[in-house]
């Protein structure tokens, strides 16, 4: 069975104020053509279809067109909600839409209710695990503790139990939206850490033939059977070196995996340039980037006059400008953004406790209180988004 694995469309998202709807529409065209050209048997969309819970109308219209075009091909599509989606909104009409071969899995209760397809070698069960917010689903799954590993592990126990009750030789695929240990993050993903921990081990997915993951925006292989497709477009300059692709997965008669990367259209390449302004404007080495979206970091000892306008004369698609003067004395001070980079909300709050005490770190009980507070806020935010 041939599967096309994609995720993280983020319909409605812009790139440094550049509207990407046209590029996202081009991706949908490419997706449909890939399905047709490669004779795909099923399309897998592993979450973050939209960029936010209440997407703009043009993004909804593009999504609607995509669903109609996939349904017209007669190729089943399995789609889950991600942490950016409103699961309730995305799942509206799921049963009705399912009659057209578009199978939306947005309710945690349906984790062990697969879409069952068949080929010449037997049945394939496709399980859709929507993004599972630990604080909201822990009790429902009897997970025991509030963590991504606990709730995803509990969901996978249900999947394995259902699979065990099926005919011997039934092959299996799971769609999930999570941060799996070993994955490489980029700057454009929303933090999903709970209690300072966001990653789950790949071993959670043991027992299934293929895990089609979403959430991380770089295409990557955790192991042969656990992969991220990545986002079809770049959504931050940290993705400048990414090769944006989808996975074309051939699932063999005994569950063996063959994987091929299918490139997605690039609306405009990204480049991160660093150096003195005169060098960027004059040196031939930078000519190749004149039509790229540019993030420029100027290292001039003294800030040049009107740098953005001068950069735009050579690089008309400059979107981001920063300054890091060379020769600046090391003061030991870092910017606010630098001090916070890579730190979770929990860690920042614990640092604040230590600061106001003059050095006394938060103890275990205080850390637990902070963790409970952040989990309550996260759960409440999720509830509020579904009500908007």
């Amino acid at each position: 069975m041939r599967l096309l694995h994609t995720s993280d469309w983020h319909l409605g998202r812009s790139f440094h104020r550049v509207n990407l709807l046209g590029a996202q529409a081009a991706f949908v065209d490419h997706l449909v053509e890939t399905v047709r050209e490669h004779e795909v048997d099923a399309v897998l969309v592993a979450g973050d279809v939209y960029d936010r819970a209440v997407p703009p109308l043009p993004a909804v219209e593009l999504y609607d067109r995509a669903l109609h075009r996939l349904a017209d091909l007669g190729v089943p599509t399995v789609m889950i909600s991600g942490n950016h989606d409103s699961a309730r909104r995305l799942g509206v009409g799921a049963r009705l839409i399912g009659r057209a071969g578009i199978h939306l899995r947005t309710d945690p209760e349906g984790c062990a209710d697969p879409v069952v397809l068949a080929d010449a070698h037997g049945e394939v069960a496709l399980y859709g695990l929507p993004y599972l917010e630990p604080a909201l689903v822990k009790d429902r799954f009897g997970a025991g503790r509030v963590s991504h590993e606990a709730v995803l592990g509990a969901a996978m126990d249900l999947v394995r139990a259902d699979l065990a009750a099926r005919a011997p030789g039934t092959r299996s695929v799971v769609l999930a939206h999570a941060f799996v240990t070993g994955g490489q993050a980029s700057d454009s993903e929303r933090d999903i850490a709970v209690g300072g921990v966001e990653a789950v081990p790949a071993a959670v997915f043991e027992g299934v033939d293929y895990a089609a993951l979403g959430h991380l925006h770089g295409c990557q292989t955790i192991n042969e059977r656990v992969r991220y497709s990545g986002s079809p477009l770049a959504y931050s300059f940290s993705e400048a070196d990414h090769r944006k692709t989808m996975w074309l997965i051939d699932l063999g008669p005994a569950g063996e995996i063959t994987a091929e990367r299918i490139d997605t259209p690039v609306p405009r390449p990204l480049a991160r340039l660093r150096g003195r302004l005169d060098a960027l404007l004059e040196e031939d080495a930078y000519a190749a980037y004149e039509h790229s979206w540019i993030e420029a970091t100027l290292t001039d000892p003294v800030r040049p006059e009107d740098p953005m306008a001068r950069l735009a004369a050579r690089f008309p698609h400059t979107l981001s400008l920063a300054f890091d003067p060379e020769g600046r004395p090391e003061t030991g001070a870092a910017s606010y953004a630098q001090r916070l980079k890579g730190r979770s909300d929990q860690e920042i709050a614990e640092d604040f406790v230590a600061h106001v005490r003059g050095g006394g770190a938060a103890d275990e009980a205080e850390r637990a209180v902070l963790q409970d507070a952040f989990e309550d806020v996260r759960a409440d935010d999720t509830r509020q988004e579904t009500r908007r």
Side-chain angles (χ1 to χ4, degrees):
M1 182 169 289
R2 176 162 287 181
L3 310 170
L4 185 64
H5 168 196
T6 178
S7 72
D8 295 274
W9 294 3
H10 288 279
L11 299 181
R13 188 165 186 157
S14 60
F15 183 76
H16 289 266
R17 298 178 300 281
V18 174
N19 189 318
L20 291 180
L21 198 67
Q24 291 172 333
F27 161 69
V28 170
D29 291 343
H30 176 70
L31 173 73
V32 171
E33 183 54 36
T34 299
V35 171
R36 183 183 294 113
E37 177 186 346
H38 291 273
E39 300 181 342
V40 169
D41 296 306
V43 176
L44 314 178
V45 186
D48 281 353
V49 178
Y50 290 122
D51 189 55
R52 55 183 185 268
V54 185
L57 183 58
V60 177
E61 292 171 339
L62 177 56
Y63 169 73
D64 181 64
R65 293 197 300 273
L67 294 192
H68 277 84
R69 294 176 69 184
L70 289 169
D72 288 344
L73 291 174
V75 175
T77 297
V78 183
M79 182 179 294
I80 63 172
S81 50
N83 61 301
H84 279 250
D85 298 309
S86 166
R88 293 276 298 276
R89 283 187 172 82
L90 191 65
V92 167
R95 291 185 180 180
L96 185 62
I97 295 171
R99 297 179 188 176
I102 307 295
H103 305 279
L104 304 175
R105 292 295 188 263
T106 63
D107 186 349
E109 297 287 353
C111 284
D113 178 20
V115 176
V116 180
L117 306 178
D119 62 11
H121 307 288
E123 292 188 339
V124 178
L126 295 94
Y127 299 88
L129 279 54
Y131 172 69
L132 302 172
E133 181 60 52
L136 295 182
V137 302
K138 174 185 75 73
D139 293 337
R140 191 182 310 183
F141 285 160
R145 57 193 175 92
V146 179
S147 75
H148 289 288
E149 181 178 355
V151 298
L152 195 53
M156 282 301 303
D157 286 342
L158 296 175
V159 167
R160 284 185 283 265
D162 180 84
L163 187 59
R166 295 185 177 274
T170 299
R171 289 160 291 165
S172 56
V173 174
V174 165
L175 289 77
H177 197 85
F179 193 146
V180 173
T181 303
Q184 298 297 313
S186 58
D187 291 344
S188 55
E189 296 126 6
R190 182 183 294 171
D191 176 37
I192 61 170
V194 173
V197 178
E198 58 186 350
V200 300
V204 164
F205 299 104
E206 286 183 358
V208 297
D209 294 309
Y210 184 69
L213 300 183
H215 179 58
L216 299 184
H217 289 182
C219 181
Q220 47 201 297
T221 300
I222 304 301
N223 61 51
E224 181 190 19
R225 299 187 181 276
V226 180
R227 300 171 189 262
Y228 284 97
S229 66
S231 59
L233 299 172
Y235 292 118
S236 72
F237 277 103
S238 66
E239 301 167 56
D241 294 330
H242 286 190
R243 175 187 165 198
K244 294 300 184 181
T245 61
M246 302 176 286
W247 282 113
L248 190 66
I249 301 294
D250 283 321
L251 184 62
E256 60 269 36
I257 296 291
T258 302
E260 176 188 353
R261 293 178 70 178
I262 304 293
D263 292 289
T264 57
V266 178
R268 191 177 298 280
L270 274 58
R272 309 179 94 170
L273 306 184
R274 181 183 180 87
R276 293 194 177 198
L277 179 60
D278 287 344
L280 297 182
L281 296 180
E282 297 170 6
E283 293 183 5
D284 293 339
Y286 298 108
Y289 306 112
E290 291 176 357
H291 300 289
S292 300
W293 278 322
I294 299 294
E295 177 191 71
T297 300
L298 301 184
T299 61
D300 301 71
V302 177
R303 183 170 300 206
E305 182 178 352
D306 205 9
M308 192 64 166
R310 293 167 66 186
L311 275 171
R314 183 177 192 185
F315 307 104
H317 304 289
T318 301
L319 301 181
S320 176
L321 177 61
F323 298 91
D324 186 16
E326 60 189 34
R328 180 172 55 185
E330 292 293 336
T331 63
S335 71
Y336 181 71
Q338 289 170 332
R339 294 198 304 274
L340 297 188
K341 187 175 178 62
R343 301 185 67 75
S344 68
D345 291 341
Q346 174 93 13
E347 291 170 327
I348 294 168
E350 290 177 14
D351 286 349
F352 176 75
V353 171
H355 171 74
V356 296
R357 282 184 177 155
D363 60 28
E364 184 175 346
E366 291 166 331
R367 289 196 298 270
V369 169
L370 290 171
Q371 180 175 336
D372 288 344
F374 282 119
E375 288 167 359
D376 287 346
V377 169
R378 182 195 296 276
D380 187 62
D381 285 347
T382 302
R383 294 189 191 97
Q384 293 299 325
E385 282 192 353
T386 62
R387 294 170 184 162
R388 289 174 189 164

